[in-house]
Amino acid sequence: MNNVKDKVVVITGASSGIGEETVSLLSENGANLVLGARRLNRLEEIQKNIGNNICIQKTDVTNANEVNALIETAYNEFGRVDVLINNAGLMPQSFLEKNKQDEWNQMIDVNIKGVLYGIGAVLPYMREQKSGHIINLASVAGHVVFPGSAVYSGTKYAVRAITEGLRQEEAAVGSNIRTTILSPGAIDTELTDHISDKEMKKGIDEVYKDAIKPDAIARAINYAINEPEESSVNEFIIRPSSQNL
Ligand code: NDP
């Protein structure tokens, strides 16, 4: 059974880590892919390496017009949008006492508003098609809070609440739109590179010593997409086996 083949999949934050790995696996399985991120040079590199059935577009998810344009590109290029993966995210964790307001705003803008803009942009197309699938990247930090994670956790709890609300609203009108919340634990990507709070970074580096590769997350995404239409895989939590948090 390959229900991934020929699906049109839009993915934000596709330029590295989980996004890049997911692009690679879905492409192997025959999906048509539309990639968004700010670093166009990285997207061009991925397009060159993977090749067929990929289109790329510079997209900052904090800008609703750019997110709308990304979805329009998918529609114009492939005639439909089957899956949106709201993957773009940032994790500059810090202790509240440090008052890093710019980083708080960044996390709220990318992790929450970016996801909302994605949903807002794609829903009219999926409602019209009477089918679709929205996959949102949350986090283990969207299930538990620890010192230094308050704002990041807040954004990821929000992603879970928004996705569950979306699930209920779409089920109520029978739109046949599936939703998936995916909560990774420590995954070896560029995510921790942007932590500017040195005290925080030390603790996080310790947790990330056992980080697993992003292909674990890509496989889960592939599984959720591959399930038959009537089955909506609503939630995953995937940690390294040794992660106790
Ligand atoms: P990376 O840092 O490798 O990837 C993050 C991606 O988000 C990049 O491709 C980046 O692209 C993109 N991005 C950041 N800001 C924006 C923006 N304003 N507009 C568009 N794209 C943006 O980390 P991961 O692959 O690990 O992260 C992917 C998702 O997984 C995130 O939502 C993260 O919170 C979540 N996650 C990851 C975990 C981990 O341990 N790695 C654990 C739990 C959750 P560019 O800079 O080119 O715009």
Side-chain angles (χ1 to χ4, degrees), residues 66-232:
E66 292 188 19
V67 178
N68 288 337
L70 180 70
I71 301 296
E72 273 165 32
T73 296
Y75 189 77
N76 293 338
E77 198 70 27
F78 297 112
R80 54 187 293 113
V81 187
D82 296 303
V83 184
L84 169 64
I85 307 174
N86 282 310
N87 167 71
L90 291 174
M91 189 184 74
Q93 297 191 350
S94 62
F95 296 98
L96 290 168
E97 175 266 331
K98 305 268 170 85
N99 197 22
K100 288 183 178 280
Q101 295 186 6
D102 287 349
E103 295 183 350
W104 299 347
N105 285 329
Q106 251 190 330
M107 282 190 277
I108 290 164
D109 288 347
V110 176
N111 300 0
I112 303 179
K113 291 188 189 170
V115 169
L116 286 171
Y117 294 155
I119 293 169
V122 85
L123 259 187
Y125 292 96
M126 291 182 171
R127 281 273 185 117
E128 178 77 27
Q129 289 168 184
K130 286 209 170 305
S131 75
H133 190 168
I134 298 177
I135 300 174
N136 294 333
L137 269 289
S139 174
V140 165
H143 293 260
V144 294
V145 184
F146 50 89
S149 87
V151 179
Y152 181 69
S153 283
T155 66
K156 294 302 189 176
Y157 273 79
V159 168
R160 292 184 54 232
I162 290 162
T163 315
E164 173 59 10
L166 175 67
R167 184 190 73 74
Q168 292 184 19
E169 289 180 23
E170 295 311 306
V173 296
S175 64
N176 202 27
I177 295 171
R178 306 191 288 177
T179 63
T180 302
I181 300 166
L182 208 161
S183 297
I187 311 296
D188 183 14
T189 67
E190 297 172 14
L191 194 72
T192 61
D193 295 358
H194 312 289
I195 300 174
S196 64
D197 181 337
K198 290 195 175 60
E199 196 186 344
M200 190 73 216
K201 179 82 166 77
K202 235 170 101 184
I204 288 285
D205 283 347
E206 197 54 41
V207 174
Y208 273 72
K209 270 189 184 153
D210 289 337
I212 55 174
K213 299 286 175 205
D215 59 328
I217 307 304
R219 283 194 299 275
I221 291 173
N222 187 81
Y223 172 83
I225 297 173
N226 194 43
E227 279 297 281
E229 284 265 294
E230 67 274 16
S231 165
S232 183

